[in-house]
Every structure is written in C-alpha cells, then in structure tokens.
Amino acid sequence: MAVHCPECGFANPEGANYCQKCGAFLGGPKEAGDDPTTMTYRVDETGEMTPVDIDEVVSESGAALVIRAGGGRAGESFSVSEERVSIGRSPDAGVFLDDVTVSRNHALLVRRRDGLYIDDLGSLNGTYVNRRRIESHRLADGDEIQVGKYKLSYLER
C-alpha cells in the first residue's frame, strides 16, 4: 500500500518517512494519545489568527473550505456563503492563496440550482477535485480540492 504525500500527492512506498518527489515529511508511526485533529482558524483584519469551531462555520454559511496542506496555512478556513467566491493569488480573492503555483484568478465557486460548483478559470496548473483535473465540478461534502500546492477540504452541512 502506498503512502500519499500530504503536500504533492505523490504515492510513496509504505514505510517512507519523506516524500521521494518533494521531500515533505510523511509522518512517522502514531503514538498513543496523538491527536490527529488540526486547529481551525481565520485570519482577521489585523492579521491575527482567530480560532473557530468549523462546525459553527459550516452551520452558519452552509459550507466552508479548510486548508489541509500547503503554504504553512493548514487549518485556515473560509466560509462559503455568497453566490460566487473567487479563489486565486489576487489579494481581492475570497480565498486568497499567495503562491506562484496559484494563478491570479485560478478558480471560482459558483452556487447553481443543484448545488455548489467549482469552475477552473483557465489556470496554468489546473484545478483538481479528488485528484482529478476538472473544468467544472459539483462539490460534495468531504471533497478534496487542489489549487496549486494547496489542498483544501470542502465541508457542507
């Protein structure tokens, strides 16, 4: 069985400690009492990290994106309450991902009659949902979205 890298998704041989492709730490054996959860937070207007209860964020807005890996921002959350939310390297983006692997206007979350969709906006590196490159995809609770080096989880109530 392969161990998938949390940063780049490369399938490494079982027992590997570091990714053969990008060098990221794959995690060692779990110790008794290890807590696998990550604190979820938002960055407020002052740049401070404010802890949030992700269940409350999802209940209030109906949906949220949480960064799982990439850019040292694991745990940062974004509520998805508007009809359209942009994802990209532009500081004006609703989900601002500041890295050269992310296009300025990379993707768009759009609420349609039958659910929330993610549309790739012709980005150079593409947008992936559950490790498949997409042009447009209807999101479901638990989907993994990859935008550049960032991996995000989509959560809905």
Side-chain angles (χ1 to χ4, degrees):
M1 182 172 154
V3 176
H4 291 277
C5 175
E7 293 294 324
C8 72
F10 184 77
N12 293 280
E14 188 172 1
N17 290 322
Y18 294 92
C19 177
Q20 293 176 350
K21 184 174 180 185
C22 73
F25 182 64
L26 299 174
K30 295 287 182 202
E31 299 291 327
D34 276 358
D35 185 2
T37 60
T38 301
M39 179 186 83
T40 309
Y41 66 93
R42 283 191 185 144
V43 177
D44 65 19
E45 302 78 39
T46 64
E48 295 293 316
M49 289 191 286
T50 308
V52 296
D53 180 347
I54 195 62
D55 292 329
E56 285 180 23
V57 172
V58 173
S59 333
E60 290 169 8
S61 63
L65 287 178
V66 178
I67 297 177
R68 284 192 23 242
R73 294 171 56 189
E76 187 172 352
S77 65
F78 303 90
S79 68
V80 181
S81 55
E82 293 143 24
E83 294 298 307
R84 300 166 69 90
V85 177
S86 60
I87 300 173
R89 201 179 67 227
S90 169
D92 299 331
V95 179
F96 174 51
L97 303 174
D98 190 16
D99 188 77
V100 295
T101 61
V102 178
S103 297
R104 199 170 278 287
N105 297 304
H106 198 102
L108 185 65
L109 296 170
V110 182
R111 198 165 301 282
R112 297 190 175 119
R113 279 181 285 121
D114 59 339
L116 188 70
Y117 283 75
I118 184 166
D119 296 341
D120 183 77
L121 298 176
S123 64
L124 184 63
N125 291 325
T127 301
Y128 295 79
V129 176
N130 301 324
R131 300 199 174 144
R132 288 199 178 121
R133 191 168 183 157
I134 58 98
E135 294 300 317
S136 181
H137 179 86
R138 183 179 182 275
L139 291 170
D141 185 43
D143 277 350
E144 177 190 85
I145 300 168
Q146 184 166 349
V147 175
K149 72 178 187 180
Y150 292 91
K151 287 191 180 177
L152 305 102
S153 290
Y154 171 71
L155 305 171
E156 68 181 15
R157 64 181 150 137

